[in-house]
Amino acid sequence: MAATKPPEPNMAKCIASARVWDITFKHQLATFMGEPLDRVPALVCQRLYDGFRTGRISFSDINAIQLDQPTQIWKVIKGNSRGSTPAPSRAPVKYRTCTGIDGTFQIPATRNCPLSGYAHDGY
């Protein structure tokens, strides 16, 4: 059985304070997040922590929520990975197959096959 890493001190403080929130508020959050009630404190703290770490939310979002102003923080708490806008699709990477000394290998289509037959030449 693998040992689990203990939460960071600030994360542990957040979870401890979230556990004593009003039960009605926790039920509302559980419904909003689509998660079981017992997971709400840890998930809210983890999502907020990740939101700050990745820059999706800032302290101005915390101020906005306290002032009942619009903020993206609810998308982070709900667990939307990128909000309501879909991620832009990336063009598929195209490869060319080259034949070398040791067999075939692929390189990006923007490059020419090396004359020596080694995949690492000029790459």
Side-chain angles (χ1 to χ4, degrees):
M1 187 166 152
T4 59
K5 180 180 163 186
E8 294 183 22
N10 289 333
M11 182 70 71
K13 288 178 188 177
C14 176
I15 293 169
S17 67
R19 284 191 177 128
V20 296
W21 286 342
D22 178 71
I23 191 69
T24 303
F25 180 62
K26 285 194 284 188
H27 275 285
Q28 290 171 338
L29 275 176
T31 301
F32 174 72
M33 295 168 63
E35 298 288 346
L37 183 64
D38 62 330
R39 294 190 62 205
V40 167
L43 280 175
V44 167
C45 292
Q46 184 64 52
R47 289 175 181 174
L48 289 173
Y49 177 82
D50 289 344
F52 278 113
R53 186 179 51 79
T54 61
R56 289 196 63 216
I57 57 175
S58 66
F59 287 108
S60 63
D61 289 302
I62 300 298
N63 291 336
I65 203 167
Q66 291 174 345
L67 298 171
D68 201 25
Q69 296 174 342
T71 177
Q72 298 296 313
I73 201 167
W74 292 110
K75 290 181 181 180
V76 173
I77 291 172
K78 186 170 177 108
N80 293 2
S81 62
R82 292 286 167 208
S84 61
T85 56
S89 60
R90 293 179 54 184
V93 178
K94 296 182 181 175
Y95 293 95
R96 109 177 34 246
T97 302
C98 302
T99 304
I101 295 171
D102 296 331
T104 61
F105 57 92
Q106 289 187 327
I107 61 170
T110 57
R111 305 201 46 108
N112 292 326
C113 290
L115 297 174
S116 69
Y118 288 101
H120 58 80
D121 279 358
Y123 200 54

